Amino acid sequence: MHKIKEWGYVFGQCKICDTHFLARSRHYELCSDKCRKVKAATAKKEFDERAKGNKLEQLHESAYFYWYNRLRKLRKKATNSEDTEKAANFKVQFDIFRKEAVKRKALVKGRKMPLADFSAWLVEQQSVADGLME
């Protein structure tokens, strides 16, 4: 016990599996990577449940995966330098889209932009993604 105090460790109880463990400070709530993965999966499920009824989240996720799936398709098809360059260019445009989408989503959440305008912008961006595919 003396060495534990000397090293600055404390006893903690894992929030996931309720096992006791030594932690570097009281801020540690989880005992292992396994419990961190369980907590992350649980948080993802909770977010998905909350977002299920939220039209804004549905639109954003749909547009994100529209771009993401096309990027995967380009990368999979890339056999020569021209295709590889096309995929790299698409990735740059995808990153720009993601940043702008997050900004616009925040505007909708803050009620500074109507959801209809955000939806229309996302549709425009799909045509941009399709244009980059050609």
Side-chain angles (χ1 to χ4, degrees):
M1 291 293 286
H2 175 68
K3 286 292 184 186
I4 290 172
K5 279 192 174 195
E6 183 180 309
W7 293 333
Y9 283 87
V10 294
F11 286 101
Q13 186 171 359
C14 182
K15 299 251 183 195
I16 301 297
C17 64
D18 290 331
T19 59
H20 294 281
F21 65 100
L22 284 176
R24 290 191 175 129
S25 74
R26 293 258 178 233
H27 298 289
Y28 287 83
E29 297 179 334
L30 305 173
C31 64
S32 66
D33 286 337
K34 181 180 176 184
C35 288
R36 283 179 199 58
K37 288 179 183 176
V38 169
K39 184 173 181 175
T42 305
K44 172 81 169 108
K45 283 181 186 176
E46 288 173 2
F47 174 78
D48 289 345
E49 285 299 317
R50 282 194 316 266
K52 224 178 234 181
N54 188 340
K55 188 69 173 169
L56 174 64
E57 294 295 338
Q58 288 174 349
L59 287 170
H60 182 258
E61 186 176 358
S62 174
Y64 172 86
F65 281 111
Y66 187 88
W67 277 78
Y68 178 76
N69 288 333
R70 272 141 188 80
L71 176 61
R72 284 186 55 209
K73 189 176 186 179
L74 280 174
R75 285 182 174 164
K76 193 174 186 180
K77 191 176 89 170
T79 55
N80 58 29
S81 63
E82 183 181 325
D83 291 341
T84 305
E85 186 178 314
K86 191 183 227 182
N89 182 37
F90 192 92
K91 171 74 169 110
V92 169
Q93 295 301 318
F94 179 44
D95 291 340
I96 293 169
F97 161 77
R98 285 182 14 216
K99 288 176 185 174
E100 184 63 25
V102 169
K103 286 179 190 174
R104 289 177 184 248
K105 184 174 145 185
L107 289 174
V108 173
K109 280 185 177 179
R111 301 190 187 273
K112 295 178 182 169
M113 173 187 240
L115 182 61
D117 289 352
F118 181 64
S119 178
W121 180 79
L122 290 174
V123 170
E124 287 175 22
Q125 296 306 305
Q126 287 181 353
S127 63
V128 170
D130 290 339
L132 291 169
M133 291 288 291
E134 297 170 358

